[in-house]
């Protein structure tokens, strides 16, 4: 059976419309920023690659030697060192990263956090505070910097002010963010220590729903194509629509061969294959995506699980 016949067999009218819409808007979809990917410590490169920590750390250090001008390489190394409890080492790596990418609020707040964790005596060393202030100056919504600036208030005796800031952060927190539970616990504990009643307010303050652009690629609803796009597609016979989609999928694979580091496109390819009923090809896309991006293995597997890719 030819590839076009296989595709036609498993492709419903609804799936065909979804895929056409997806590819029409692929350029907009690529470059999305889910909340966790907006901070440098998001991926766990040690766990994601499945290698021994020492081996993976050595690989990340080797990458910084090969790519000393890459903020991404230094960020990955900083995240790995942080996860291993080497906070001073993480700070040193993040310092390299911010020197290369000084306009990244997430990098500055990661540096501040590493400096806080590396400090044995001062709970808010001046160098850490300077990093958080830089992050806030770049992005007033940076969650990590906001959290630690409230910590500074608490340390300085302004416990109510700190709690107010944490509540404001909680209200701005995307639902399911990894810091939500810790943030609630902090508010509860500081309130208990200083006899500030937070129970009722804590119960009524909920993290906000995810915005469409914050949804994971695999789960996010695809915006509909424009009226002209739909009219153009609807004028094509079914066979030509299927050929169009096959060409789009082939084009996506071609782009991945040219740039295999584009994780979003691997996720899009898995989604397309599953929508076409080509689960074996989706599984192969997962394997190929991980092989090309071992540090993103955790994210790729998580997205593949949401898509029900075999072996994810």
């Amino acid at each position: 059976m030819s590839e076009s016949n296989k595709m036609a067999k498993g492709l419903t009218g609804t799936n065909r419309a979804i895929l056409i819409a997806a590819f029409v808007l692929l350029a907009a979809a690529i470059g999305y920023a889910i909340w966790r990917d907006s901070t440098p410590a998001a991926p766990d490169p040690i766990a994601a690659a499945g290698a021994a920590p020492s081996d993976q750390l050595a690989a990340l250090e080797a990458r910084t030697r090969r790519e000393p001008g890459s903020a991404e390489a230094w960020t990955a190394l900083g995240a790995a060192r942080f996860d291993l409890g080497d906070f001073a080492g993480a700070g040193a790596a993040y310092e390299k990263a911010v020197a290369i990418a000084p306009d990244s609020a997430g990098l500055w707040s990661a540096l501040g956090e590493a400096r806080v964790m590396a400090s044995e005596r001062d709970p808010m060393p001046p160098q850490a505070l300077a990093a958080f202030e830089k992050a806030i100056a770049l992005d007033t919504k940076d969650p990590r910097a906001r959290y630690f600036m409230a910590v500074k208030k608490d340390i300085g005796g302004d416990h109510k002010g700190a709690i107010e800031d944490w509540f404001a952060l909680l209200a701005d927190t995307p639902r399911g963010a990894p810091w939500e539970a810790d943030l609630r616990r902090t508010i509860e504990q500081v309130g208990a220590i200083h006899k500030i009643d937070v129970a009722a307010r804590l119960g009524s303050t909920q993290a906000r729903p995810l915005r469409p652009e914050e949804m994971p690629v695999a789960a996010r609803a695809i915006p509909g194509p424009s009226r002209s796009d739909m009219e153009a597609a609807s004028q094509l016979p079914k066979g030509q629509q299927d050929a169009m989609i096959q060409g789009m999928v082939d084009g996506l694979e071609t782009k991945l061969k040219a740039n295999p580091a584009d994780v979003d496109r691997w996720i899009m390819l898995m989604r397309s294959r599953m929508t076409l009923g080509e689960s074996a090809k989706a599984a192969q896309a997962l394997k190929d995506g991980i092989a090309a991006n071992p540090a993103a293995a955790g994210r790729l597997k998580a997205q593949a699980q949401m898509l029900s890719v075999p072996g994810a």
Side-chain angles (χ1 to χ4, degrees):
M1 184 180 293
S2 69
E3 288 301 317
S4 60
N5 287 339
K6 288 179 183 177
M7 182 180 70
K9 183 177 179 181
L11 191 57
T12 67
T14 300
N15 285 350
R16 183 179 292 104
I18 289 172
L19 277 177
I20 291 174
F23 282 105
V24 165
L25 295 162
L26 179 60
I30 298 302
Y32 87 107
I34 190 172
W35 52 262
R36 193 163 169 84
D37 290 344
S38 70
T39 60
D44 179 350
I46 302 297
S54 58
D55 293 341
Q56 184 64 14
L57 191 64
L60 293 172
E61 289 172 341
R63 182 185 173 191
T64 61
R65 290 193 291 272
R66 291 194 309 272
E67 306 173 34
S70 169
E72 182 183 349
W74 287 107
T75 297
L77 179 59
R81 286 176 172 173
F82 191 96
D83 288 341
L84 292 173
D86 178 9
F87 303 120
Y94 286 138
E95 285 171 3
K96 294 281 190 180
V98 297
I100 298 166
D103 295 331
S104 170
L107 280 178
W108 281 104
S109 64
L111 173 59
E113 183 181 27
R115 286 172 171 173
V116 166
M117 297 299 291
S119 177
E120 295 182 0
R121 295 180 179 83
D122 190 344
M124 183 60 68
Q127 299 91 335
L129 179 59
F132 293 133
E133 289 175 339
K134 181 67 174 178
I136 289 293
L138 289 166
D139 180 6
T140 58
K141 294 293 187 180
D142 184 90
R144 180 163 32 201
R146 289 174 67 186
Y147 174 84
F148 280 101
M149 293 302 286
V151 168
K152 178 180 179 294
K153 282 189 178 182
D154 185 52
I155 292 171
D158 184 5
H159 312 302
K160 288 185 178 180
I163 288 175
E164 286 297 321
D165 288 353
W166 285 322
F167 267 120
L169 175 57
L170 180 58
D172 285 343
T173 291
R175 190 172 298 160
W179 65 83
E180 181 182 352
D182 288 338
L183 180 56
R184 288 183 176 277
R185 191 177 303 112
T186 297
I187 294 171
E188 186 176 28
Q189 291 175 347
V190 172
I193 291 170
H194 300 289
K195 305 296 189 296
I196 301 171
D197 186 7
V198 298
R201 187 176 176 188
L202 197 55
S204 63
T205 304
Q206 301 298 320
R208 64 171 173 77
L210 289 173
R211 291 188 288 266
E213 69 271 15
E214 293 172 321
M215 291 292 289
V217 172
R220 187 177 52 183
I222 300 174
S226 68
R227 180 180 297 275
S228 60
D229 293 327
M230 288 296 288
E231 288 176 353
S234 66
Q235 297 303 314
L236 295 174
K238 176 180 174 296
Q240 289 186 30
Q241 289 182 17
D242 292 345
M244 175 195 296
I245 293 169
Q246 186 66 59
M248 290 173 173
V249 175
D250 291 344
L252 181 57
E253 289 190 317
T254 299
K255 288 183 174 67
L256 282 167
K257 288 178 181 178
N259 181 18
D262 193 332
V263 176
D264 281 354
R265 289 191 188 275
W266 284 111
I267 296 168
M268 191 65 190
L269 179 60
M270 288 190 290
R271 181 177 182 169
S272 299
R273 290 302 188 192
M274 291 301 293
T275 304
L276 291 170
E278 299 173 345
S279 57
K281 289 186 176 181
Q284 186 60 50
L286 173 61
K287 292 179 182 177
D288 293 343
I290 291 174
N293 304 277
R299 180 181 167 210
L300 284 164
K301 288 180 180 178
Q303 298 278 317
Q305 288 169 2
M306 295 174 69
L307 294 166
S308 300
V309 175

